[in-house]
Amino acid sequence: MYAIEQIKEYLKPEGRLVLSNLKKEIKMIGEQVQEDEIVENAGIAVRGLGGLKQYLAVLTSNRLLTTDKQKNFLSYDLGKISNINFNKKLTTTEMGFTYDNKEHALSFNNVDLSLAFLSEIQNALGILPPSQVETEERKIVRVMKPIKMSIEILNGKEQLKDQGSVFKLSQTKPGTIEISVNNLSPETFKLVKWERVENIQKSAFDIAGWSLIGSTLGNAGSIAGAMGANIGKDKSVATLFLKRENDEKVPLVIKCDKKDLEKLSLLIVAEEEESTQTSVTPSPSSAIPTDELIKLKELMDAGIVTQEEFDAKKKQLLGI
């Protein structure tokens, strides 16, 4: 199952021994992940004297999944978890919470990976600990839940600052989004707009037009190739139009299902309108846009645009 592979991917930094010791739990929990859920992260919880006994904890878009002492499956709906508190001790941090009118607790060693997993849980629950309070037991302040989702990038991943296979998108303030690769520090972009792709050829033409203005996406023909080869029967494709602080344009083509589209619809784009989305006719005195014409010709040769579309765009670029 895909969920099992996702869990393994998150646990890889823990080492092969951990993956081997938790093999049965990974399979059991992975098989319980529902089709409409996304595996957001996985971590190693501890119990017993000195925290020597390890067990699996998995965070999905809907639930927190783990096991009890007898290795029976446990599931907590995120929307039903309340009274959350974090108690940081010498070597471990305990997460206490109320669920179904009962008190529960999960403990994690104070190592970077475990603390990152706890931070992921805080974000999923829409809570933030006040950083200025350095006490052993931190009080939690509930805030508006950010938008978070895992994404599968079909084209454009080479433009991100880090390389990897696990991509996560989040928005905590309007107009910007953060994208992290393999749980590393996220990169922040301005969100110009996003569009669902219904016509692959038209979309490839539009994305190429955007990239011609300044993006480093590369050969426009490869965009449509990736899109056409990767769309599944139950999947759609969307394009994120992003900008870095230096105004470098970063279009990302991503695969998405119905749930992903619902989350994308909640994203708030930057107030500044993207002027490059409107066509500008060059003046007759402007230099001939050779690069643009070459890339348009590549699109036509690849069968992405028709001769008529090429001729129309050519006239527009040359101001004919």
Side-chain angles (χ1 to χ4, degrees), residues 7-16 18-19 40-46 54-59 91 93 107-122 168 181-185:
I7 294 171
K8 289 180 180 179
E9 191 70 31
Y10 282 118
L11 295 180
K12 275 185 179 180
E14 297 282 357
R16 292 184 179 180
V18 170
L19 285 170
E40 301 282 7
N41 212 322
I44 305 300
V46 295
Q54 297 181 329
Y55 62 106
L56 180 62
V58 174
L59 177 67
T91 59
T93 296
S107 292
F108 299 85
N109 286 327
N110 292 333
V111 296
D112 290 343
L113 288 172
S114 294
L115 295 177
F117 181 70
L118 279 173
S119 177
E120 195 78 22
I121 293 175
Q122 291 179 25
K168 302 180 77 172
V181 183
N182 287 0
N183 289 321
L184 299 175
S185 297

Side-chain angles (χ1 to χ4, degrees), residues 118-137:
L118 279 173
S119 177
E120 195 78 22
I121 293 175
Q122 291 179 25
N123 289 333
L125 293 172
I127 56 177
L128 290 174
S131 57
Q132 70 273 18
V133 180
E134 294 298 331
T135 58
E136 184 160 314
E137 184 172 352

Side-chain angles (χ1 to χ4, degrees), residues 193-200 202-204 206-207 227 231-241 252-262 264-265:
K193 68 171 184 173
W194 74 272
E195 288 183 351
R196 181 178 179 180
V197 175
E198 295 183 359
N199 183 313
I200 297 175
K202 181 179 184 300
S203 176
D206 290 345
I207 299 168
M227 291 164 62
I231 298 178
K233 293 182 179 179
D234 61 341
K235 299 290 183 179
S236 296
V237 171
T239 306
L240 303 175
F241 294 86
L252 298 180
V253 181
I254 66 172
K255 183 186 291 187
C256 48
D257 55 21
K258 181 179 179 181
K259 190 174 183 65
D260 295 329
L261 290 172
E262 289 175 355
L264 288 175
S265 69

Side-chain angles (χ1 to χ4, degrees), residues 183-194:
N183 289 321
L184 299 175
S185 297
E187 183 176 3
T188 301
F189 298 90
K190 178 190 290 184
L191 177 61
V192 176
K193 68 171 184 173
W194 74 272

Side-chain angles (χ1 to χ4, degrees), residues 61-115:
S61 51
N62 300 330
R63 298 180 294 166
L64 178 60
L65 311 177
T66 185
T67 59
D68 61 16
K69 292 182 179 180
Q70 289 73 41
K71 297 188 177 181
N72 297 313
F73 175 72
L74 296 176
S75 170
Y76 305 100
D77 291 344
L78 297 181
K80 297 180 181 180
I81 293 176
S82 61
N83 300 328
I84 311 104
N85 64 81
F86 292 86
N87 185 13
K88 189 171 183 180
K89 301 180 181 179
L90 184 61
T91 59
T92 62
T93 296
E94 181 180 272
M95 172 188 169
F97 58 96
T98 301
Y99 191 85
D100 283 345
N101 296 320
K102 295 181 181 179
E103 299 300 320
H104 301 266
L106 296 174
S107 292
F108 299 85
N109 286 327
N110 292 333
V111 296
D112 290 343
L113 288 172
S114 294
L115 295 177

Side-chain angles (χ1 to χ4, degrees), residues 76-316:
Y76 305 100
D77 291 344
L78 297 181
K80 297 180 181 180
I81 293 176
S82 61
N83 300 328
I84 311 104
N85 64 81
F86 292 86
N87 185 13
K88 189 171 183 180
K89 301 180 181 179
L90 184 61
T91 59
T92 62
T93 296
E94 181 180 272
M95 172 188 169
F97 58 96
T98 301
Y99 191 85
D100 283 345
N101 296 320
K102 295 181 181 179
E103 299 300 320
H104 301 266
L106 296 174
S107 292
F108 299 85
N109 286 327
N110 292 333
V111 296
D112 290 343
L113 288 172
S114 294
L115 295 177
F117 181 70
L118 279 173
S119 177
E120 195 78 22
I121 293 175
Q122 291 179 25
N123 289 333
L125 293 172
I127 56 177
L128 290 174
S131 57
Q132 70 273 18
V133 180
E134 294 298 331
T135 58
E136 184 160 314
E137 184 172 352
R138 297 184 176 184
K139 301 297 181 181
I140 304 302
V141 179
R142 185 167 292 275
V143 296
M144 182 171 57
K145 184 177 179 180
I147 299 169
K148 300 189 66 181
M149 60 187 293
S150 296
I151 58 175
E152 182 177 350
I153 300 177
L154 299 180
N155 195 279
K157 65 180 70 175
E158 70 280 355
Q159 297 183 105
L160 302 179
K161 68 176 183 179
D162 298 309
Q163 299 299 309
S165 57
V166 177
F167 304 96
K168 302 180 77 172
L169 177 153
S170 65
Q171 184 176 67
T172 56
K173 61 180 182 178
T176 64
I177 64 169
E178 294 183 339
I179 296 179
S180 64
V181 183
N182 287 0
N183 289 321
L184 299 175
S185 297
E187 183 176 3
T188 301
F189 298 90
K190 178 190 290 184
L191 177 61
V192 176
K193 68 171 184 173
W194 74 272
E195 288 183 351
R196 181 178 179 180
V197 175
E198 295 183 359
N199 183 313
I200 297 175
Q201 291 190 353
K202 181 179 184 300
S203 176
F205 184 81
D206 290 345
I207 299 168
W210 207 64
S211 67
L212 290 175
I213 300 171
S215 174
T216 58
L217 186 59
N219 189 316
S222 66
I223 302 172
M227 291 164 62
N230 287 281
I231 298 178
K233 293 182 179 179
D234 61 341
K235 299 290 183 179
S236 296
V237 171
T239 306
L240 303 175
F241 294 86
L242 313 176
K243 273 188 177 183
R244 289 192 166 96
E245 289 185 359
N246 61 2
D247 279 342
E248 178 186 358
K249 298 179 179 181
V250 182
L252 298 180
V253 181
I254 66 172
K255 183 186 291 187
C256 48
D257 55 21
K258 181 179 179 181
K259 190 174 183 65
D260 295 329
L261 290 172
E262 289 175 355
K263 287 193 174 183
L264 288 175
S265 69
L266 299 175
L267 295 175
I268 302 175
V269 301
E271 292 184 2
E272 176 187 352
E273 293 186 3
E274 177 53 34
S275 60
T276 60
Q277 298 305 311
T278 58
S279 301
V280 178
T281 302
S283 64
S285 60
S286 300
I288 296 176
T290 307
D291 291 341
E292 287 87 341
L293 291 173
I294 291 174
K295 291 184 178 181
L296 285 170
K297 182 64 164 57
E298 290 177 355
L299 280 173
M300 185 180 69
D301 292 341
I304 307 305
V305 298
T306 65
Q307 180 70 51
E308 290 75 13
E309 290 173 322
F310 172 79
D311 292 340
K313 193 68 176 180
K314 177 181 175 181
K315 289 180 180 180
Q316 183 185 62

